[in-house]
Amino acid sequence: MVFRLLISTNLFSMLATSYRDCSVYIKSKEAPAKDVLKDLVEMCRAIQHPMRGLFLRSYLSQVSRDKLPDIGSEYEGDADTVMDAVDFVLQNFTEMNKLWVRMLYQGPGRVREKHEKERSELRDLVGKNLHVLSQIEGVELELYKDTVLPRVLEQVINCKDELAQYYLMDCIIQVFPDEYHLQTLETLLAAFPQLQPTVDIKTVLSQLMERLSNYAASSTDVLPEFLQVEAFSKLSSAIGRVIEAQIDMPIVGSISLYVSLLTFTLRVHPDRLDYVDQVLGACVKKLSGTTKLEDNRAIKQVVALLSAPLEKYDDIVTALTLSNYPRVMDHLDNGTNKVMAVVIIQSIMKNSSCISTADKVEVLFELIKGLIKDLDCTSADELDEEDFGEEQNSVARLIHMLYNDDPEEMLKILCTVKKHIMSGGPKRLPFTVPPLILSALKLVRRLQGQDGEVVGEEMPATPKKIFQILNQTIEALSSVPSPELALRLYLECAEAANDCDLEPVAYEFFTQAFVLYEEEVADSKAQVTAIHLIIGTLQRMNVFGVENRDTLTHKATGYSAKLLKKPDQCRAVYACSHLFWVDDQDGVKDGERVLLCLKRALRIANAAQQMASVTRGSSGPVTLFVEILNKYLYFFEKGNPQITSAAIQGLVELIKTEMQSDSTNVSPAPDAFFSSTLRYIQFQKQKGGVMGEKYAPIKV
């Protein structure tokens, strides 16, 4: 054994020396270069040890590289052609690949892992032959198509070695020009299904599609070539055959192939939405055997697949036309479905996309159903509050992006949204109902002054019809329960009905608000806020006749006087005085009832003062009296005949007396407030004119 290795070593040294001598001989041109090269290749057969043979042939390739007959080369002639150079390199490549594969089977099986590592380190020696081929000027497209590629692929397929097949296919893709790949696409793709089942074909195919995509993006002039060779169809068919042939390919591998194909399609054929939908459809077909994906890598690939059209078109409306888009999303687990829904909404917000038809809204809300309703047994109560709130706020923002100039279509959009969000559960409704109500009120104001009757099942977009829908929607919200929010929305709708001159509708909304206040609003602070909202909204209403307005005003003043705390009662009652004196409504100027409200507020303030005196042993703060004084001054300036200078003077004296007796009051606020009010009275007196004359009798 040792003797044979010594012989082999000596022979290796002798052949290496011979190669140098032959190189000189080729330069002398005493014999055709092809004959010398042929002899050199044959001489290498003397070395059968795989590793030594590889290095020897690699050395041969190196020393002969600049001696190959090529176009423009000094060795090209009648006897030497480019084909001779190609034959030499291909023969050397074939023999080197055989030696490389044989390395795996050298020695016992227990050292096979070591040999595999050595082979991986030596692979560049084999690949350099393909690089040499790509550098030969005479290897034009036809020669490559008819000779080079078929012979290389033949060797790749026949070697039946996983490492060799993967590496050599990758070499072919990397070293030869993109134009050659495009023109020989069918031949190249036909080789993939013939490779060993364990070869990582998805990576090689993905690299091929990436190169072709970059080639297409390099110049618009090459795009017709892609159409001419039907690149998409060939790639799509090849991927199908590969997936079919490699039955053990993991699902993540299949999806990654479709991601690469979709990326290729979006770059080369961005206008062909049918191609995009076809790729998504193929992915759906592959996923049809599974219920929900559980492999995180596969899930990420599906998310990449779904995100690609959004990033390319910057318009969710385009994605909504893809019939297979929602079918792919159905295969995501619930958590990822929600993540993808957020991505879709963010895309809409980023690009200010306007969803303008009910059909598209239907598709969109099916896509984001993971945010709109619970897809599994996990209830909204179990979710993280902050994350849940952010998700629902994104849905609320989305509703404002839905718009159509046509009122009929806009009403259909609102009804579609209502259908989806009403199934979201009690915790979601407080987030999603308000934007729906506000969007509907925008439509109402566009239709202001229009009216009509419902004919058959078709419901024309009239304010009355929209208010019916809003009433039903808010009623569902009030039962969540979220009574304070529902009350606010009832008042918003009442004000919109007022602008449309629909008195019965406005009265109905106020009635619903009062019912909610009576039956559902129990917290004292919430009651205070609610009653002030009611008073403020009712003050702005001008649609009511005398009877309806008196009924609502009576209720508001009654509720004000029944608040839990005296200061809250006082402030609500004097706020009610504005319900009887509205500047822009000539019919609503009842000075007597204004005075009654203010006197009632004074009695409540006095009671609060007495209660404070009992509990603290001294008189309490007089802020309420100063606030009432300011209301007196307001109506005095507005010309209310019931508010006289004598009444104001009496109130000023009362406050001075109370403040003198309030010796324990350490807060400077009432003092400052009262001083500012007195300065205002003095300013009006000094200003002169009609107002100065009115204020003249008041002494401060």
Side-chain angles (χ1 to χ4, degrees):
M1 178 67 181
V2 175
F3 179 70
R4 282 191 299 176
L5 284 174
L6 287 173
I7 293 176
S8 179
T9 304
N10 291 332
L11 185 57
F12 180 91
S13 177
M14 291 170 58
L15 288 173
T17 305
S18 298
Y19 291 164
R20 288 196 298 271
D21 295 339
C22 288
S23 175
V24 175
Y25 186 57
I26 293 173
K27 284 185 177 181
S28 69
K29 300 181 182 180
E30 294 182 9
K34 66 177 182 180
D35 294 338
V36 180
L37 293 174
K38 183 178 180 181
D39 290 342
L40 290 174
V41 170
E42 291 298 327
M43 288 169 62
C44 288
R45 293 181 184 274
I47 302 297
Q48 290 299 307
H49 187 277
M51 185 178 296
R52 292 196 181 94
L54 272 178
F55 278 105
L56 182 63
R57 288 185 176 273
S58 176
Y59 179 68
L60 171 61
S61 177
Q62 180 181 346
V63 297
S64 61
R65 189 168 181 176
D66 58 346
K67 315 298 187 307
L68 299 177
D70 192 8
I71 295 176
S73 168
E74 60 178 300
Y75 304 105
E76 183 188 20
D78 295 336
D80 297 312
T81 64
V82 172
M83 194 62 210
D84 297 323
V86 171
D87 284 336
F88 168 75
V89 178
L90 284 174
Q91 188 176 354
N92 197 50
F93 161 72
T94 301
E95 295 299 329
M96 287 185 73
N97 189 48
K98 290 177 181 178
L99 291 169
W100 188 41
V101 172
R102 277 176 52 199
M103 284 183 66
L104 181 62
Y105 305 101
Q106 295 294 306
R110 63 177 179 272
V111 296
R112 180 161 295 182
E113 184 178 343
K114 176 184 176 183
H115 289 163
E116 190 69 7
K117 183 179 179 181
E118 291 176 347
R119 290 182 65 226
S120 181
E121 293 171 350
L122 296 174
R123 60 186 179 179
D124 286 349
L125 299 179
V126 182
K128 284 180 180 178
N129 288 282
L130 298 182
H131 181 70
V132 171
L133 275 174
S134 69
Q135 298 297 310
I136 298 176
E137 294 290 337
V139 180
E140 297 179 344
L141 178 59
E142 288 303 317
L143 180 57
Y144 175 80
K145 182 177 182 180
D146 297 336
T147 303
V148 175
L149 183 60
R151 289 179 61 179
V152 172
L153 289 178
E154 180 184 10
Q155 177 57 217
V156 172
I157 294 169
N158 290 339
C159 73
K160 299 186 182 302
D161 178 73
E162 176 188 348
L163 177 62
Q165 288 183 337
Y166 172 78
Y167 172 68
L168 294 176
M169 291 300 290
D170 183 57
C171 278
I172 293 171
I173 291 168
Q174 299 299 333
V175 302
F176 290 106
D178 298 327
E179 180 188 358
Y180 287 15
H181 294 325
L182 183 60
Q183 295 301 326
T184 59
L185 193 56
E186 190 169 1
T187 303
L188 185 58
L189 293 175
F192 283 98
Q194 302 179 60
L195 302 180
Q196 294 298 104
T198 53
V199 176
D200 185 12
I201 296 178
K202 68 179 187 301
T203 302
V204 183
L205 255 177
S206 298
Q207 290 173 346
L208 173 61
M209 287 185 278
E210 183 179 359
R211 283 206 62 173
L212 292 176
S213 298
N214 294 334
Y215 179 50
S218 64
S219 173
T220 56
D221 297 337
V222 303
L223 291 178
E225 295 182 36
F226 283 84
L227 295 173
Q228 185 178 2
V229 301
E230 299 179 341
F232 171 79
S233 299
K234 291 176 180 177
L235 286 168
S236 181
S237 298
I239 289 173
R241 291 195 301 271
V242 167
I243 292 175
E244 185 177 346
Q246 296 199 344
I247 57 176
D248 294 329
M249 179 185 290
I251 190 70
V252 63
S254 302
I255 300 172
S256 65
L257 281 175
Y258 288 124
V259 171
S260 298
L261 179 59
L262 184 61
T263 303
F264 168 84
T265 305
L266 291 172
R267 295 187 69 179
V268 180
H269 306 290
D271 56 330
R272 293 297 301 266
L273 292 180
D274 55 326
Y275 284 177
V276 177
D277 208 29
Q278 185 177 328
V279 177
L280 295 174
C283 187
V284 170
K285 184 178 179 181
K286 181 62 182 177
L287 294 171
S288 60
T290 60
T291 51
K292 296 291 182 181
L293 287 173
E294 297 180 355
D295 185 347
N296 288 333
R297 295 177 303 162
I299 290 172
K300 288 180 180 179
Q301 288 297 319
V302 172
V303 170
L305 187 80
L306 293 168
S307 301
L310 301 180
E311 295 170 359
K312 176 63 180 179
Y313 297 116
D314 292 336
D315 183 7
I316 186 62
V317 177
T318 303
L320 295 180
T321 62
L322 303 170
S323 61
N324 287 305
Y325 197 94
R327 296 174 63 195
V328 176
M329 282 196 68
D330 286 340
H331 290 278
L332 293 173
D333 64 272
N334 297 331
T336 311
N337 198 299
K338 289 170 63 176
V339 171
M340 196 63 224
V342 171
V343 171
I344 291 172
I345 294 177
Q346 288 174 344
S347 173
I348 294 174
M349 296 301 163
K350 176 183 176 182
N351 301 297
S352 300
S353 304
C354 180
I355 317 301
S356 58
T357 67
D359 292 339
K360 290 177 181 176
V361 171
E362 179 70 35
V363 176
L364 173 61
F365 273 68
E366 277 297 319
L367 291 179
I368 64 170
K369 61 187 176 184
L371 297 181
I372 296 175
K373 57 185 177 183
D374 298 327
L375 297 180
D376 54 15
C377 58
T378 303
S379 69
D381 294 330
E382 299 175 24
L383 301 174
D384 181 86
E385 288 290 336
E386 185 175 348
D387 291 343
F388 180 79
E390 183 56 38
E391 289 170 0
Q392 297 311 302
N393 283 329
S394 67
V395 176
R397 289 191 292 269
L398 172 66
I399 293 174
H400 289 294
M401 302 297 293
L402 313 176
Y403 180 80
N404 194 302
D405 287 327
D406 178 20
E408 298 291 335
E409 188 64 30
M410 187 63 198
L411 180 57
K412 291 179 182 177
I413 289 174
L414 294 173
C415 291
T416 302
V417 174
K418 176 177 176 287
K419 178 187 73 174
H420 283 277
I421 67 173
M422 283 304 170
S423 63
K427 197 165 184 179
R428 288 182 173 85
L429 291 182
F431 291 93
T432 54
V433 167
L436 174 62
I437 300 297
L438 295 177
S439 292
L441 291 180
K442 287 180 183 178
L443 177 59
V444 166
R445 287 187 162 84
R446 284 166 53 194
L447 298 171
Q448 215 165 292
Q450 297 184 24
D451 199 3
E453 299 298 329
V454 176
V455 181
E457 295 184 0
E458 291 297 324
M459 300 177 179
T462 64
K464 275 189 178 180
K465 174 57 196 172
I466 298 170
F467 283 130
Q468 289 176 18
I469 297 172
L470 293 181
N471 199 1
Q472 298 166 3
T473 307
I474 301 174
E475 187 177 355
L477 179 62
S478 63
S479 62
V480 166
S482 185
E484 295 91 346
L485 178 58
L487 186 142
R488 286 174 179 269
L489 295 176
Y490 275 133
L491 295 177
E492 289 280 355
C493 292
E495 194 165 358
N498 174 81
D499 296 340
C500 294
D501 202 24
L502 296 173
E503 182 179 4
V505 176
Y507 188 82
E508 174 64 21
F509 281 121
F510 257 101
T511 302
Q512 296 287 352
F514 280 128
V515 169
L516 268 182
Y517 180 84
E518 291 175 357
E519 299 180 357
E520 302 293 340
V521 183
D523 180 74
S524 60
K525 289 184 178 180
Q527 286 180 338
V528 172
T529 302
I531 199 63
H532 280 282
L533 283 171
I534 290 172
I535 294 168
T537 305
L538 186 55
Q539 181 192 2
R540 295 191 294 272
M541 305 294 285
N542 56 27
V543 72
F544 293 130
V546 175
E547 183 179 351
N548 284 341
R549 187 176 185 89
D550 283 349
T551 301
L552 297 174
T553 302
H554 177 73
K555 281 183 173 291
T557 52
Y559 292 141
S560 299
K562 294 178 182 178
L563 291 172
L564 181 63
K565 298 178 180 179
K566 290 294 182 182
D568 293 334
Q569 286 181 23
C570 177
R571 292 185 173 101
V573 168
Y574 73 59
C576 286
S577 63
H578 289 280
L579 299 177
F580 304 106
W581 191 282
V582 182
D583 284 340
D584 56 357
Q585 298 183 50
D586 294 333
V588 189
K589 289 185 178 176
D590 189 339
E592 185 66 33
R593 296 182 73 176
V594 169
L595 183 60
L596 287 174
C597 279
L598 295 178
K599 285 183 175 179
R600 190 176 187 180
L602 273 173
R603 288 196 299 272
I604 296 171
N606 187 55
Q609 188 80 348
Q610 291 177 0
M611 289 178 62
S613 177
V614 170
T615 56
R616 293 204 299 264
S618 63
S619 54
V622 295
T623 304
L624 291 175
F625 290 113
V626 182
E627 291 174 8
I628 295 170
L629 171 61
N630 277 269
K631 289 298 176 185
Y632 267 84
L633 296 178
Y634 172 82
F635 289 110
F636 181 64
E637 292 185 4
K638 292 298 181 181
N640 186 338
Q642 303 299 322
I643 308 297
T644 63
S645 58
I648 294 174
Q649 183 69 59
L651 188 52
V652 169
E653 298 301 329
L654 172 64
I655 295 172
K656 286 182 178 179
T657 302
E658 291 291 338
M659 295 190 76
Q660 288 172 1
S661 63
D662 192 10
S663 56
T664 61
N665 180 30
V666 296
S667 173
D671 253 350
F673 190 9
F674 184 52
S675 298
S676 296
T677 304
L678 295 180
R679 284 197 300 272
Y680 176 79
I681 295 173
Q682 188 66 34
F683 169 76
Q684 293 290 9
K685 290 174 64 175
Q686 294 173 355
K687 189 168 65 172
V690 177
M691 195 60 65
E693 292 178 6
K694 288 186 69 174
Y695 274 96
I698 303 174
K699 297 179 180 179
V700 295

